Every structure is written in structure tokens, then in C-alpha cells.
Amino acid sequence: DGLLIGEVWEDASNKISYGERRKYFMGDELDGTMNYPLRDILLDYINYTISSGYAAERLESLSENYPRENFYGALNLIGSHDRERIITAMAAEEDYQAAVKKVRVMSALEFTLPGVPCIYYGDEAGMEGYGDPFCRRPFPWGREERELQVHYHRLGQLRNKYKALRLGDIQFHCALNNQLSFTRTYKEQTIRVYMNRGSDDWQIPAGRILLARNMLTVAPDQLVLGHNGFCILEDE
């Protein structure tokens, strides 16, 4: 009866390895897998390699390939011991603070999309490091990126508090070139998530703000998200 998560880097529903089609999700092998496909989608999205619409399409395709219990049991990650630190990957062509902003957006998606968030130690503290072994350095005690730590702490609180973020159905509502939004719904509880990676401001319907970044305007019935802004709302 123990939970078994497999280290599978590809779409685990149709993987062929050593000439054999694997049967991870047939009921007697794995409960979930490391969600590297999600990581690839988020990296492509945040780095403007793909449009928001195509990101949503790939996410929906992944959800259709996996049985529901395996999709919701996947280990959502953006950092791991087999990859360079996510801050370092994001800072390849930008400065450190710009990389931190991108990681905030990526982690907000990591915690609000279906699956089980998994934080590689130190990513929440802004650790840097290239590939193995430099991504396995000791934790930077006393040199943590405090705002990023608070951000991760709040994401964890929200996921623990709201069943919609753990068990809720997902539906994409807006997936334009630079704007992405979806809802997570569980029984009477609805959480709305908005991401704006574009340079133009984005007007969105108001709600009870649970967590937001780069919110430019707060009005009774309307909110405005700026560049690299995100907002997690609860319907009132």
C-alpha cells in the first residue's frame, strides 16, 4: 500500500524503453512519476519558446494521456538533482533578480496545476548552481532569498488550505499569446489563476486575492496584472 513514484523523464503513459512498451499506469507498477514533461512545458512557456495557447494544449494533452489518479499523483518539479539549478537556468541571459521573478511565476503554476509540488532543496532560497555536482551544494544558510522563501511558504499554505488546488478539476479559459488563465474547481470551491508574461497590462475580473505579484490596480470589480504578474483568486 506504499506510495510509489517513478523516475520517468518522458510521458510515462506511452514510454518505450529497451524495446519494450512500459506499463507504469496499468495498476500494478507506479502511482505517479516525476513530472519532467510539466517542467519542460513551464520552461518553454516562461522563456517565450511557446505561446500560452500551446502551453495549455500540451498540458491538456498530458492530462488526457494519464489516468486521472496518476496525473494528480505526478510529482510536479521545476528543479532536481539531475538538472542545473532553476535560478541558474533562468539567469542564463538575464540578471539574478529577473530570474527570481520568472521562478515566482513558474512555482505559482507548479503549485496550482494538478499534481504534487516537489521543491528541490534550496530552490526556495534562490540557490544557484550549474549541472551535477554544482547543483548539489550545501544549503545557503544565512544567505537565503527571503522574499522567494516567503512566496514558496505562502504557496504551500494555499495548497494545504484549498482542496480545489489538490483535488479540483481544471479548465483553461484564456490562453492567448502571453496570457494564461484556468480554474480549479472542487465541489463549491473555485480558484482562478492568471498569468501574464506579456508587456501589456491585462484586465481580469476581481475576486478574493489569495496571492498576487505585480498587481497594478485593485478595483471593486476589476484587477490589472502587469508584466510577469500572476494572481490566484478565490470566487466569492
Side-chain angles (χ1 to χ4, degrees):
D1 293 331
L3 177 68
L4 188 58
I5 304 292
E7 185 178 6
V8 182
W9 289 39
E10 303 83 10
D11 184 330
S13 68
N14 54 32
K15 179 177 178 177
I16 297 176
S17 178
Y18 298 100
E20 179 183 347
R21 184 174 295 279
R22 299 299 168 172
K23 300 178 180 179
Y24 297 130
F25 296 154
M26 298 300 289
D28 56 1
E29 290 194 10
L30 298 178
D31 298 300
T33 57
M34 297 176 73
N35 206 348
Y36 277 102
L38 173 66
R39 181 184 186 272
D40 293 340
I41 294 169
L42 297 186
L43 282 170
D44 286 344
Y45 169 72
I46 201 65
N47 286 324
Y48 298 91
T49 304
I50 59 175
S51 68
S52 297
Y54 188 46
E57 182 179 324
R58 285 172 61 181
L59 288 167
E60 288 183 321
S61 177
L62 193 64
S63 71
E64 291 168 355
N65 290 351
Y66 282 37
R68 181 182 173 90
E69 60 271 21
N70 300 119
F71 186 62
Y72 279 67
L75 207 63
N76 290 355
L77 55 89
I78 56 175
S80 84
H81 61 282
D82 284 319
R83 288 286 188 257
E84 64 180 334
R85 286 282 174 176
I86 191 63
I87 287 286
T88 301
M90 292 297 95
E93 298 180 2
E94 300 184 77
D95 60 34
Y96 180 83
Q97 288 304 320
V100 169
K101 291 177 182 178
K102 283 188 172 183
V103 171
R104 284 198 192 99
V105 176
M106 291 180 67
S107 57
L109 286 168
E110 176 189 14
F111 274 75
T112 54
L113 289 166
V116 183
C118 177
I119 305 171
Y120 183 44
Y121 82 95
D123 281 356
E124 81 286 4
M127 270 186 70
E128 298 176 88
Y130 291 102
D132 196 0
F134 303 104
C135 58
R136 305 182 189 227
R137 294 186 304 168
F139 190 86
W141 297 110
R143 295 177 286 109
E144 301 93 335
E145 176 65 42
R146 288 296 301 156
E147 281 194 30
L148 193 59
Q149 280 189 312
V150 171
H151 166 79
Y152 269 95
H153 183 69
R154 181 58 178 156
L155 286 174
Q157 286 180 322
L158 292 177
R159 189 176 184 279
N160 286 336
K161 181 177 180 180
Y162 292 96
K163 286 188 176 181
L165 294 178
R166 304 194 304 273
L167 306 173
D169 295 332
I170 184 169
Q171 183 176 1
F172 290 92
H173 295 282
C174 179
L176 304 178
N177 189 44
N178 289 311
Q179 300 166 350
L180 177 67
S181 73
F182 56 88
T183 57
R184 299 292 307 278
T185 305
Y186 181 77
K187 296 182 178 179
E188 301 302 317
Q189 190 178 89
T190 298
I191 304 296
R192 289 184 280 125
V193 180
Y194 297 88
M195 302 285 166
N196 181 23
R197 68 175 189 182
S199 56
D200 295 330
D201 297 342
W202 184 20
Q203 295 182 352
I204 61 175
R208 180 168 176 263
I209 300 174
L210 304 179
L211 184 64
R213 190 75 183 184
N214 206 9
M215 182 76 72
L216 303 181
T217 303
V218 178
D221 59 349
Q222 192 175 77
L223 306 173
V224 178
L225 276 181
H227 175 60
N228 274 347
F230 70 85
C231 188
I232 304 172
L233 305 172
E234 180 183 15
D235 277 358
E236 296 181 298

PDB file of all heavy atoms in Angstrom, residues 25 37 39 44 54 63 72 77 105 115 117 124 128-129 131 133 145 160 166 173 176 178 194 200:
ATOM      1  N   PHE A  25       1.255   2.594 -15.698  1.00  0.00           N
ATOM      2  CA  PHE A  25      -0.050   3.025 -15.187  1.00  0.00           C
ATOM      3  C   PHE A  25      -1.140   1.961 -15.372  1.00  0.00           C
ATOM      4  O   PHE A  25      -2.318   2.286 -15.407  1.00  0.00           O
ATOM      5  CB  PHE A  25      -0.484   4.317 -15.886  1.00  0.00           C
ATOM      6  CG  PHE A  25       0.422   5.488 -15.615  1.00  0.00           C
ATOM      7  CD1 PHE A  25       0.523   6.532 -16.523  1.00  0.00           C
ATOM      8  CD2 PHE A  25       1.177   5.558 -14.458  1.00  0.00           C
ATOM      9  CE1 PHE A  25       1.343   7.616 -16.283  1.00  0.00           C
ATOM     10  CE2 PHE A  25       2.011   6.632 -14.212  1.00  0.00           C
ATOM     11  CZ  PHE A  25       2.101   7.666 -15.120  1.00  0.00           C
ATOM     12  N   PRO A  37       7.808  16.184 -17.941  1.00  0.00           N
ATOM     13  CA  PRO A  37       7.090  16.836 -19.042  1.00  0.00           C
ATOM     14  C   PRO A  37       6.491  18.183 -18.643  1.00  0.00           C
ATOM     15  O   PRO A  37       6.514  19.134 -19.437  1.00  0.00           O
ATOM     16  CB  PRO A  37       5.998  15.814 -19.389  1.00  0.00           C
ATOM     17  CG  PRO A  37       6.597  14.497 -19.032  1.00  0.00           C
ATOM     18  CD  PRO A  37       7.377  14.770 -17.767  1.00  0.00           C
ATOM     19  N   ARG A  39       7.693  20.170 -16.309  1.00  0.00           N
ATOM     20  CA  ARG A  39       8.846  21.077 -16.196  1.00  0.00           C
ATOM     21  C   ARG A  39       9.226  21.630 -17.561  1.00  0.00           C
ATOM     22  O   ARG A  39       9.492  22.832 -17.707  1.00  0.00           O
ATOM     23  CB  ARG A  39      10.032  20.337 -15.585  1.00  0.00           C
ATOM     24  CG  ARG A  39      11.288  21.190 -15.406  1.00  0.00           C
ATOM     25  CD  ARG A  39      12.448  20.339 -14.889  1.00  0.00           C
ATOM     26  NE  ARG A  39      13.604  21.155 -14.592  1.00  0.00           N
ATOM     27  CZ  ARG A  39      14.550  21.489 -15.473  1.00  0.00           C
ATOM     28  NH1 ARG A  39      14.430  21.077 -16.749  1.00  0.00           N
ATOM     29  NH2 ARG A  39      15.579  22.241 -15.116  1.00  0.00           N
ATOM     30  N   ASP A  44       9.509  26.158 -21.320  1.00  0.00           N
ATOM     31  CA  ASP A  44       9.230  26.699 -22.656  1.00  0.00           C
ATOM     32  C   ASP A  44       8.303  27.908 -22.565  1.00  0.00           C
ATOM     33  O   ASP A  44       8.475  28.897 -23.292  1.00  0.00           O
ATOM     34  CB  ASP A  44       8.592  25.624 -23.543  1.00  0.00           C
ATOM     35  CG  ASP A  44       9.589  24.573 -23.988  1.00  0.00           C
ATOM     36  OD1 ASP A  44      10.805  24.816 -23.874  1.00  0.00           O
ATOM     37  OD2 ASP A  44       9.149  23.500 -24.440  1.00  0.00           O
ATOM     38  N   TYR A  54      -0.328  27.195 -26.760  1.00  0.00           N
ATOM     39  CA  TYR A  54       0.298  25.900 -26.986  1.00  0.00           C
ATOM     40  C   TYR A  54       0.689  25.251 -25.659  1.00  0.00           C
ATOM     41  O   TYR A  54       0.643  24.023 -25.517  1.00  0.00           O
ATOM     42  CB  TYR A  54       1.515  26.046 -27.885  1.00  0.00           C
ATOM     43  CG  TYR A  54       2.107  24.721 -28.323  1.00  0.00           C
ATOM     44  CD1 TYR A  54       1.292  23.693 -28.788  1.00  0.00           C
ATOM     45  CD2 TYR A  54       3.472  24.500 -28.259  1.00  0.00           C
ATOM     46  CE1 TYR A  54       1.827  22.472 -29.185  1.00  0.00           C
ATOM     47  CE2 TYR A  54       4.017  23.284 -28.641  1.00  0.00           C
ATOM     48  CZ  TYR A  54       3.188  22.276 -29.103  1.00  0.00           C
ATOM     49  OH  TYR A  54       3.718  21.064 -29.469  1.00  0.00           O
ATOM     50  N   SER A  63      -2.770  15.596 -19.562  1.00  0.00           N
ATOM     51  CA  SER A  63      -3.854  15.154 -18.679  1.00  0.00           C
ATOM     52  C   SER A  63      -4.719  14.091 -19.349  1.00  0.00           C
ATOM     53  O   SER A  63      -5.267  13.206 -18.679  1.00  0.00           O
ATOM     54  CB  SER A  63      -4.717  16.346 -18.256  1.00  0.00           C
ATOM     55  OG  SER A  63      -5.500  16.832 -19.328  1.00  0.00           O
ATOM     56  N   TYR A  72      -2.872  13.290 -11.152  1.00  0.00           N
ATOM     57  CA  TYR A  72      -2.921  14.049  -9.906  1.00  0.00           C
ATOM     58  C   TYR A  72      -1.863  13.580  -8.911  1.00  0.00           C
ATOM     59  O   TYR A  72      -1.559  14.291  -7.941  1.00  0.00           O
ATOM     60  CB  TYR A  72      -4.316  13.963  -9.287  1.00  0.00           C
ATOM     61  CG  TYR A  72      -5.301  14.925  -9.917  1.00  0.00           C
ATOM     62  CD1 TYR A  72      -5.707  14.761 -11.241  1.00  0.00           C
ATOM     63  CD2 TYR A  72      -5.819  15.990  -9.201  1.00  0.00           C
ATOM     64  CE1 TYR A  72      -6.586  15.643 -11.834  1.00  0.00           C
ATOM     65  CE2 TYR A  72      -6.707  16.879  -9.788  1.00  0.00           C
ATOM     66  CZ  TYR A  72      -7.084  16.702 -11.108  1.00  0.00           C
ATOM     67  OH  TYR A  72      -7.965  17.592 -11.696  1.00  0.00           O
ATOM     68  N   LEU A  77       7.726  19.204 -10.459  1.00  0.00           N
ATOM     69  CA  LEU A  77       9.031  19.760 -10.086  1.00  0.00           C
ATOM     70  C   LEU A  77       9.500  20.740 -11.147  1.00  0.00           C
ATOM     71  O   LEU A  77       9.157  20.625 -12.317  1.00  0.00           O
ATOM     72  CB  LEU A  77      10.059  18.633  -9.919  1.00  0.00           C
ATOM     73  CG  LEU A  77      10.261  17.685 -11.102  1.00  0.00           C
ATOM     74  CD1 LEU A  77      11.332  18.190 -12.057  1.00  0.00           C
ATOM     75  CD2 LEU A  77      10.620  16.293 -10.625  1.00  0.00           C
ATOM     76  N   VAL A 105       6.790  32.964 -11.008  1.00  0.00           N
ATOM     77  CA  VAL A 105       5.691  32.607 -11.902  1.00  0.00           C
ATOM     78  C   VAL A 105       5.639  31.094 -12.106  1.00  0.00           C
ATOM     79  O   VAL A 105       4.578  30.468 -12.028  1.00  0.00           O
ATOM     80  CB  VAL A 105       5.829  33.323 -13.263  1.00  0.00           C
ATOM     81  CG1 VAL A 105       4.742  32.881 -14.222  1.00  0.00           C
ATOM     82  CG2 VAL A 105       5.766  34.840 -13.069  1.00  0.00           C
ATOM     83  N   GLY A 115      -1.305  17.836  -9.602  1.00  0.00           N
ATOM     84  CA  GLY A 115      -0.062  17.158  -9.282  1.00  0.00           C
ATOM     85  C   GLY A 115       0.390  17.509  -7.878  1.00  0.00           C
ATOM     86  O   GLY A 115      -0.253  18.297  -7.182  1.00  0.00           O
ATOM     87  N   PRO A 117       3.320  19.188  -5.734  1.00  0.00           N
ATOM     88  CA  PRO A 117       4.526  20.018  -5.826  1.00  0.00           C
ATOM     89  C   PRO A 117       5.700  19.393  -5.079  1.00  0.00           C
ATOM     90  O   PRO A 117       5.549  18.876  -3.971  1.00  0.00           O
ATOM     91  CB  PRO A 117       4.104  21.338  -5.176  1.00  0.00           C
ATOM     92  CG  PRO A 117       2.614  21.339  -5.212  1.00  0.00           C
ATOM     93  CD  PRO A 117       2.208  19.903  -5.098  1.00  0.00           C
ATOM     94  N   GLU A 124      13.855  27.158  -3.150  1.00  0.00           N
ATOM     95  CA  GLU A 124      13.024  28.151  -2.490  1.00  0.00           C
ATOM     96  C   GLU A 124      13.856  29.256  -1.847  1.00  0.00           C
ATOM     97  O   GLU A 124      13.332  30.309  -1.491  1.00  0.00           O
ATOM     98  CB  GLU A 124      12.136  27.473  -1.432  1.00  0.00           C
ATOM     99  CG  GLU A 124      12.806  27.189  -0.106  1.00  0.00           C
ATOM    100  CD  GLU A 124      13.794  26.030  -0.127  1.00  0.00           C
ATOM    101  OE1 GLU A 124      14.050  25.451  -1.202  1.00  0.00           O
ATOM    102  OE2 GLU A 124      14.325  25.711   0.956  1.00  0.00           O
ATOM    103  N   GLU A 128      21.906  28.983  -6.529  1.00  0.00           N
ATOM    104  CA  GLU A 128      22.409  28.886  -7.889  1.00  0.00           C
ATOM    105  C   GLU A 128      23.307  27.663  -8.021  1.00  0.00           C
ATOM    106  O   GLU A 128      23.785  27.107  -7.030  1.00  0.00           O
ATOM    107  CB  GLU A 128      23.196  30.141  -8.256  1.00  0.00           C
ATOM    108  CG  GLU A 128      22.365  31.419  -8.228  1.00  0.00           C
ATOM    109  CD  GLU A 128      23.206  32.645  -8.515  1.00  0.00           C
ATOM    110  OE1 GLU A 128      23.356  32.982  -9.706  1.00  0.00           O
ATOM    111  OE2 GLU A 128      23.715  33.247  -7.554  1.00  0.00           O
ATOM    112  N   GLY A 129      23.554  27.231  -9.254  1.00  0.00           N
ATOM    113  CA  GLY A 129      24.446  26.105  -9.470  1.00  0.00           C
ATOM    114  C   GLY A 129      24.253  25.497 -10.838  1.00  0.00           C
ATOM    115  O   GLY A 129      23.124  25.329 -11.289  1.00  0.00           O
ATOM    116  N   GLY A 131      25.184  22.222 -13.629  1.00  0.00           N
ATOM    117  CA  GLY A 131      24.869  20.801 -13.549  1.00  0.00           C
ATOM    118  C   GLY A 131      25.698  20.060 -12.520  1.00  0.00           C
ATOM    119  O   GLY A 131      26.663  20.593 -11.949  1.00  0.00           O
ATOM    120  N   PRO A 133      28.215  18.216 -10.356  1.00  0.00           N
ATOM    121  CA  PRO A 133      27.789  18.210  -8.953  1.00  0.00           C
ATOM    122  C   PRO A 133      27.455  19.588  -8.378  1.00  0.00           C
ATOM    123  O   PRO A 133      27.159  19.703  -7.193  1.00  0.00           O
ATOM    124  CB  PRO A 133      29.025  17.641  -8.243  1.00  0.00           C
ATOM    125  CG  PRO A 133      30.165  18.232  -9.021  1.00  0.00           C
ATOM    126  CD  PRO A 133      29.703  18.247 -10.466  1.00  0.00           C
ATOM    127  N   GLU A 145      17.299  33.896  -0.245  1.00  0.00           N
ATOM    128  CA  GLU A 145      16.476  34.935  -0.879  1.00  0.00           C
ATOM    129  C   GLU A 145      15.154  34.952  -0.126  1.00  0.00           C
ATOM    130  O   GLU A 145      14.247  34.160  -0.381  1.00  0.00           O
ATOM    131  CB  GLU A 145      16.263  34.596  -2.361  1.00  0.00           C
ATOM    132  CG  GLU A 145      15.342  35.532  -3.109  1.00  0.00           C
ATOM    133  CD  GLU A 145      15.866  36.937  -3.222  1.00  0.00           C
ATOM    134  OE1 GLU A 145      17.076  37.104  -3.476  1.00  0.00           O
ATOM    135  OE2 GLU A 145      15.054  37.873  -3.043  1.00  0.00           O
ATOM    136  N   ASN A 160      -2.372  23.582   0.946  1.00  0.00           N
ATOM    137  CA  ASN A 160      -2.861  22.818   2.094  1.00  0.00           C
ATOM    138  C   ASN A 160      -4.276  23.227   2.487  1.00  0.00           C
ATOM    139  O   ASN A 160      -5.077  22.390   2.925  1.00  0.00           O
ATOM    140  CB  ASN A 160      -1.932  23.004   3.289  1.00  0.00           C
ATOM    141  CG  ASN A 160      -0.627  22.253   3.138  1.00  0.00           C
ATOM    142  OD1 ASN A 160      -0.558  21.270   2.411  1.00  0.00           O
ATOM    143  ND2 ASN A 160       0.407  22.724   3.805  1.00  0.00           N
ATOM    144  N   ARG A 166      -5.752  20.791  -4.737  1.00  0.00           N
ATOM    145  CA  ARG A 166      -5.250  19.424  -4.626  1.00  0.00           C
ATOM    146  C   ARG A 166      -6.090  18.439  -5.436  1.00  0.00           C
ATOM    147  O   ARG A 166      -5.550  17.526  -6.061  1.00  0.00           O
ATOM    148  CB  ARG A 166      -5.222  18.979  -3.157  1.00  0.00           C
ATOM    149  CG  ARG A 166      -4.413  19.885  -2.240  1.00  0.00           C
ATOM    150  CD  ARG A 166      -4.131  19.220  -0.901  1.00  0.00           C
ATOM    151  NE  ARG A 166      -5.320  18.775  -0.198  1.00  0.00           N
ATOM    152  CZ  ARG A 166      -6.043  19.554   0.629  1.00  0.00           C
ATOM    153  NH1 ARG A 166      -5.689  20.812   0.816  1.00  0.00           N
ATOM    154  NH2 ARG A 166      -7.097  19.064   1.249  1.00  0.00           N
ATOM    155  N   HIS A 173      -9.390  28.821 -19.530  1.00  0.00           N
ATOM    156  CA  HIS A 173     -10.365  29.788 -20.024  1.00  0.00           C
ATOM    157  C   HIS A 173      -9.755  30.800 -20.984  1.00  0.00           C
ATOM    158  O   HIS A 173     -10.421  31.304 -21.862  1.00  0.00           O
ATOM    159  CB  HIS A 173     -11.005  30.538 -18.849  1.00  0.00           C
ATOM    160  CG  HIS A 173     -11.812  29.647 -17.961  1.00  0.00           C
ATOM    161  ND1 HIS A 173     -13.075  29.211 -18.278  1.00  0.00           N
ATOM    162  CD2 HIS A 173     -11.521  29.094 -16.765  1.00  0.00           C
ATOM    163  CE1 HIS A 173     -13.542  28.435 -17.317  1.00  0.00           C
ATOM    164  NE2 HIS A 173     -12.614  28.343 -16.384  1.00  0.00           N
ATOM    165  N   LEU A 176      -4.120  33.132 -24.551  1.00  0.00           N
ATOM    166  CA  LEU A 176      -3.659  33.953 -25.653  1.00  0.00           C
ATOM    167  C   LEU A 176      -2.140  33.844 -25.738  1.00  0.00           C
ATOM    168  O   LEU A 176      -1.518  33.054 -25.024  1.00  0.00           O
ATOM    169  CB  LEU A 176      -4.113  35.391 -25.456  1.00  0.00           C
ATOM    170  CG  LEU A 176      -5.626  35.583 -25.287  1.00  0.00           C
ATOM    171  CD1 LEU A 176      -5.953  37.048 -25.044  1.00  0.00           C
ATOM    172  CD2 LEU A 176      -6.380  35.069 -26.512  1.00  0.00           C
ATOM    173  N   ASN A 178       0.341  35.641 -24.697  1.00  0.00           N
ATOM    174  CA  ASN A 178       1.122  35.909 -23.489  1.00  0.00           C
ATOM    175  C   ASN A 178       0.291  35.851 -22.211  1.00  0.00           C
ATOM    176  O   ASN A 178       0.786  36.212 -21.146  1.00  0.00           O
ATOM    177  CB  ASN A 178       1.796  37.282 -23.584  1.00  0.00           C
ATOM    178  CG  ASN A 178       2.921  37.290 -24.600  1.00  0.00           C
ATOM    179  OD1 ASN A 178       3.781  36.413 -24.600  1.00  0.00           O
ATOM    180  ND2 ASN A 178       2.902  38.269 -25.493  1.00  0.00           N
ATOM    181  N   TYR A 194      -4.314  33.363 -12.886  1.00  0.00           N
ATOM    182  CA  TYR A 194      -3.991  34.193 -14.059  1.00  0.00           C
ATOM    183  C   TYR A 194      -2.482  34.422 -14.122  1.00  0.00           C
ATOM    184  O   TYR A 194      -1.848  34.712 -13.101  1.00  0.00           O
ATOM    185  CB  TYR A 194      -4.689  35.551 -13.978  1.00  0.00           C
ATOM    186  CG  TYR A 194      -6.195  35.482 -13.982  1.00  0.00           C
ATOM    187  CD1 TYR A 194      -6.904  35.327 -12.784  1.00  0.00           C
ATOM    188  CD2 TYR A 194      -6.922  35.584 -15.162  1.00  0.00           C
ATOM    189  CE1 TYR A 194      -8.284  35.271 -12.773  1.00  0.00           C
ATOM    190  CE2 TYR A 194      -8.310  35.528 -15.160  1.00  0.00           C
ATOM    191  CZ  TYR A 194      -8.982  35.373 -13.968  1.00  0.00           C
ATOM    192  OH  TYR A 194     -10.363  35.307 -13.960  1.00  0.00           O
ATOM    193  N   ASP A 200       2.119  44.028 -22.060  1.00  0.00           N
ATOM    194  CA  ASP A 200       0.893  44.814 -21.898  1.00  0.00           C
ATOM    195  C   ASP A 200       0.177  44.418 -20.617  1.00  0.00           C
ATOM    196  O   ASP A 200       0.194  43.254 -20.205  1.00  0.00           O
ATOM    197  CB  ASP A 200      -0.051  44.585 -23.085  1.00  0.00           C
ATOM    198  CG  ASP A 200       0.522  45.099 -24.388  1.00  0.00           C
ATOM    199  OD1 ASP A 200       1.302  46.072 -24.342  1.00  0.00           O
ATOM    200  OD2 ASP A 200       0.204  44.516 -25.446  1.00  0.00           O
TER     201      ASP A 200
END
